[in-house]
Structures are given as structure tokens and as C-alpha cells.
């Protein structure tokens, strides 16, 4: 699907979205996530976040942490869902649990959720963290 209809500023914001985790304690987790749930996805949620931001005339750099959070939450649910469904393939690629173990897939999903909470709390977004926590619950 071509995204040529999207505004250039939105396309640039999506392309420049940083999805790295920089997990120094367990460096292989970032590689594992990058080969599975964070591998060149459609980034629909970040794209939607940037479009909404542009509609409300927000600086897209300010929207970026929320777009990143949306992608991380979505990716976490994919990691968890693949374990629950015992899926071995997603987007014609081995799932995280197929490349590793169910336990590591769940922990990787948990790491993504925790990272979102850390980053949003650093921005002072307690209401969003509360709503996210209720959703995860």
C-alpha cells in the first residue's frame, strides 16, 4: 500500500521515529524485538498519531514520544498474543516466541510496556499511564 497521499511532514516524522530501546542489561532483547514485533511494521499507530497531531497543529516532535508509545504498546500486545495463540509466524516471519521462548516473549512484551510507562511518566503524563494501566489490567 502506498502512503503517497500522506503529508510530507507526517511521512518524515514516521520515518524518523526512533524505536530503539537501548537495553544495556540485556542487549540481545533489542535484536530479538527488532527481528520480530518491531520489524518494519506498517507503523499505522504512529502514523495516525502524527496525523492527529498535525490536524491539531502540534509540533510533530512533541507528538513523537506518544507515537513511539503507541507502537510499543501495540508491539507488546503482539508479543503476548503470539504466546497465547501459540503462533509461530507473523507477517511471514517467525514470531518472537518461535525465535526464542514463550517466557522471553512475554518478558519482552512486558519490557515494552514498562518502557512506555517510564517514558510517559518522565513527560508527566500520569493520566495516560493510568489509562494504559487500566487497559493492561
Amino acid at each position: 500500500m502506498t502512503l503517497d497521499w500522506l503529508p510530507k511532514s507526517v511521512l518524515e516524522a514516521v520515518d524518523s521515529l526512533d524505536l530503539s530501546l537501548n537495553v544495556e542489561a540485556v542487549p540481545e532483547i533489542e535484536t530479538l524485538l527488532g527481528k520480530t514485533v518491531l520489524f518494519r511494521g506498517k507503523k499505522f499507530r504512529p502514523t495516525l498519531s502524527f496525523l492527529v497531531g498535525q490536524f491539531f497543529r502540534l509540533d510533530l516532535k512533541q507528538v513523537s514520544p506518544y507515537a513511539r508509545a503507541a507502537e510499543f504498546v501495540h508491539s507488546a500486545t503482539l508479543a503476548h498474543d503470539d504466546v497465547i495463540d501459540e503462533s509461530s509466524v507473523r507477517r511471514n516471519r517467525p514470531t518472537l516466541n518461535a525465535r526464542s521462548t514463550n517466557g522471553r516473549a512475554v518478558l519482552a512484551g512486558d519490557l515494552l510496556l514498562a518502557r512506555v510507562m517510564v517514558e510517559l511518566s518522565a513527560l508527566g503524563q500520569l493520566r495516560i499511564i493510568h489509562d494504559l494501566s487500566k487497559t493492561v489490567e
Side-chain angles (χ1 to χ4, degrees):
M1 180 174 121
T2 180
L3 300 177
D4 296 343
W5 58 273
L6 288 171
K8 184 178 178 183
S9 59
V10 169
L11 289 172
E12 289 171 353
V14 171
D15 286 341
S16 66
L17 185 63
D18 179 14
L19 295 178
S20 62
L21 287 165
N22 301 317
V23 183
E24 294 175 16
V26 190
E28 61 270 13
I29 195 72
E30 189 159 4
T31 302
L32 191 58
L33 285 165
K35 290 181 178 179
T36 55
V37 294
L38 292 176
F39 180 78
R40 287 189 292 196
K42 297 179 292 272
K43 296 183 185 173
F44 175 75
R45 285 143 196 88
T47 302
L48 188 57
S49 300
F50 289 123
L51 279 171
V52 169
Q54 185 174 56
F55 177 80
F56 286 106
R57 297 190 172 129
L58 300 173
D59 179 355
L60 295 186
K61 287 183 174 65
Q62 291 180 323
V63 175
S64 190
Y66 305 100
R68 175 179 159 94
E71 188 68 6
F72 279 179
V73 169
H74 173 64
S75 296
T77 63
L78 294 179
H80 290 155
D81 187 55
D82 288 341
V83 170
I84 292 167
D85 294 344
E86 299 178 1
S87 299
S88 59
V89 176
R90 177 175 294 281
R91 300 181 194 135
N92 296 317
R93 298 179 58 81
T95 58
L96 200 153
N97 56 310
R99 286 184 176 267
S100 186
T101 65
N102 283 343
R104 285 184 180 191
V106 169
L107 291 173
D110 291 351
L111 171 70
L112 289 169
L113 291 173
R115 182 59 60 91
V116 166
M117 291 181 204
V118 166
E119 291 178 1
L120 292 179
S121 67
L123 296 172
Q125 296 298 330
L126 297 181
R127 178 61 192 220
I128 295 174
I129 293 170
H130 177 264
D131 291 345
L132 173 61
S133 298
K134 294 297 286 181
T135 302
V136 170
E137 179 184 52

